[in-house]
Amino acid sequence: MRGGRRTGSPAAPPFPFLMTQNDNHIPQHVAVIMDGNGRWAREQGEERLYGHRHGVDAVREVVRTAAETGVRYLTVYAFSTENWGRPEAEVDGIMTLIAGAILSELETLTGAGIRMRFIGDLASLPEVLQESIHTAEATVIPDDKLRMTLNVALNYSARWELTDAMRRIGLRMKAGELTPEEITEELISEHLTTRGIPDPELLIRTSGELRLSNFLLWQLSYTELYFTDTLWPEFGREAFLEALREYGRRERRFGRL
């Protein structure tokens, strides 16, 4: 398996919207599993961190394209809880790279009306990365200037998220704030890291792997899945637009006829 330009007023933002002929089919929320940095680096005869560095360039282009097409939420899987099992030098390099990218991109993103938010077990991340996250999340964009929210999943796994939600619901029950009968799908969603955000309508996974890898398992219940053999550093504007076009061709039935 493999979407007119309108400028803002009074001044055009760095990433003006690109409205498509089928803009009513643009998903509100797109989730992305960015896979293939290491394999791409190996194909170039380079170390894995070389691929991660070029992966940041792909993130930049996809974020810009998503904002231009009218996507309201973009969630990217940057580092999973399982990724701690990689070689220490690679993990340290990834942490440093992400911390630097957050700060270097913050001004451009803010000027474009793109807000950064982070989901995952953030308290377990290195201090330098936590500081970058705090700086980004403390940056305020007025509601009338907000175009898109970029959610970055760091030290994240869906099983961790669901376990954490169940623990917090359990504590509320222990305190007498909840009864078992009051536990609903809506209540569980309110205790997830994505609370207040609509579930993704489209999930993109690069590099040819056909699995979810412990990502947003609750939220992806009725999400359209799009898999491509393209390795993440080569996944750019046109590849993202093709994923949106494929999404627009699908009929979402949610179990109905």
Side-chain angles (χ1 to χ4, degrees), residues 4 7 9 41 69-70 89 91 114-115 142 152-153 162 168 174 195 199 201 255:
T7 57
S9 178
T69 53
V91 171
I114 299 172
R115 171 179 60 192
V152 183
L162 289 168
R168 287 186 289 113
K174 185 176 181 180
R195 54 190 168 274
D199 290 341
E201 292 100 332

Side-chain angles (χ1 to χ4, degrees), residues 123-143:
S124 299
L125 293 170
E127 184 175 346
V128 63
L129 182 49
Q130 290 191 49
E131 290 173 356
S132 295
I133 290 171
H134 176 75
T135 299
E137 291 199 321
T139 303
V140 177
I141 300 177
D143 288 345

Side-chain angles (χ1 to χ4, degrees), residues 90-203:
E90 181 180 356
V91 171
D92 290 345
I94 291 172
M95 294 293 134
T96 301
L97 182 63
I98 294 174
I102 290 170
L103 297 180
S104 66
E105 299 296 325
L106 181 57
E107 183 176 355
T108 299
L109 292 174
T110 302
I114 299 172
R115 171 179 60 192
M116 274 196 280
R117 292 290 181 263
F118 300 85
I119 62 174
D121 185 8
L122 306 179
S124 299
L125 293 170
E127 184 175 346
V128 63
L129 182 49
Q130 290 191 49
E131 290 173 356
S132 295
I133 290 171
H134 176 75
T135 299
E137 291 199 321
T139 303
V140 177
I141 300 177
D143 288 345
D144 62 337
K145 302 292 184 183
L146 182 62
R147 289 179 177 269
M148 189 178 79
T149 298
L150 171 62
N151 301 303
V152 183
L154 288 170
N155 197 22
Y156 173 91
S157 82
R159 289 185 175 185
W160 164 84
E161 178 181 42
L162 289 168
T163 300
D164 180 71
M166 295 306 103
R167 284 173 177 163
R168 287 186 289 113
I169 291 173
L171 288 173
R172 292 186 61 187
M173 292 180 63
K174 185 176 181 180
E177 299 176 11
L178 289 173
T179 65
E181 292 74 23
E182 292 176 297
I183 299 176
T184 62
E185 291 185 14
E186 291 74 20
L187 181 75
I188 293 172
S189 293
E190 289 169 5
H191 286 77
L192 301 178
T193 60
T194 55
R195 54 190 168 274
I197 298 173
D199 290 341
E201 292 100 332
L202 173 65
L203 169 76

Side-chain angles (χ1 to χ4, degrees), residues 38-46 231 234:
R39 273 170 282 172
W40 181 84
R42 188 167 60 248
E43 289 180 0
Q44 315 305 311
E46 299 285 350
L231 301 177
E234 296 178 343

